[in-house]
Amino acid sequence: MKLTGYEDLRVQKTINSIYDAFETLILANDYEKITVTALAKLAQINKKTFYRYYPTMDDLLSEMQSRYSQGYLQITAHFQYPRDIAKSVRSFFEYSAVQGPAYDRITISGAYSGIRQQMVDQVMSKTWGASPEFQKLADWQKQMLLSFVQDTGLRVYHQWIDNNRSAPLEDVITLATALIQGGVEKLLSAFDQ
């Protein structure tokens, strides 16, 4: 249930408890092992209360994914692609770095690849999809370009997390920008020939 801020304080507290419990369970389990029973117990609500707000666990996960995607899209809404690729890479890393451990688990864990791909697809369609230069490409070229951008960005972020964020974020952004921007420029120039 998306909160508007006009809900009763008890409703806000319940939704926040559900989110907090869900994030805790995400950190401890693969998605398919999370149950409404475990979530309700951890959130200190009964199962009926959960179902009042979310028909299924998938609906809760989808809402969480949407919150993450929307937050990033608000930052990148004015970017022009491919011109602003460096800004986009920086924004992705800076945004991701402050989202918390549940976001990291969703972003890097194979157990959450489906929801992660939904997040990536939503972001890519609203960012690159609005690019006139991108629209000139053939479908297979678009797919290659998007796969390269998303796979490279996610892999660098994954490696940074696996290394316990030991490298300075600024250095990781510089590396990721060089890889992605250089690759995109090369791909686009190769497609022009």
Side-chain angles (χ1 to χ4, degrees), residues 80-86 128 131 133-134 145 181 184 188:
Q80 299 292 314
Y81 291 83
R83 184 188 74 207
D84 292 331
I85 191 73
W128 282 95
S131 165
E133 190 171 345
F134 180 74
L145 179 63
Q181 188 170 29
V184 167
L188 290 176

Side-chain angles (χ1 to χ4, degrees), residues 1 13 24 41 58 81 102 112 115 129 140:
M1 172 180 178
K13 185 177 177 183
T24 299
K41 182 178 179 181
D58 289 345
Y81 291 83
Y112 292 90
I115 196 68
W140 70 270

Side-chain angles (χ1 to χ4, degrees), residues 72 75-81 83-84 86-89 91 127 130:
Y72 179 71
I75 296 167
T76 61
H78 64 280
F79 291 178
Q80 299 292 314
Y81 291 83
R83 184 188 74 207
D84 292 331
K87 288 183 192 176
S88 178
V89 171
S91 296
T127 55

Side-chain angles (χ1 to χ4, degrees), residues 90-169:
R90 173 171 293 285
S91 296
F92 167 72
F93 280 88
E94 289 177 345
Y95 178 80
S96 297
V98 298
Q99 294 307 304
Y103 173 90
D104 288 347
R105 176 126 163 97
I106 290 169
T107 302
I108 67 172
S109 172
Y112 292 90
S113 61
I115 196 68
R116 177 182 56 245
Q117 193 58 51
Q118 287 177 20
M119 289 168 53
V120 169
D121 290 347
Q122 183 179 12
V123 167
M124 291 299 196
S125 72
K126 296 223 174 167
T127 55
W128 282 95
S131 165
E133 190 171 345
F134 180 74
Q135 293 308 319
K136 293 176 187 176
L137 300 174
D139 285 344
W140 70 270
Q141 293 170 324
K142 290 177 186 176
Q143 291 169 354
M144 285 185 158
L145 179 63
L146 292 182
S147 291
F148 170 77
V149 170
Q150 77 181 27
D151 292 349
T152 304
L154 288 172
R155 188 67 203 136
V156 171
Y157 187 74
H158 188 167
Q159 191 63 52
W160 185 58
I161 297 301
D162 281 352
N163 291 335
N164 296 316
R165 300 177 182 225
S166 60
L169 180 59

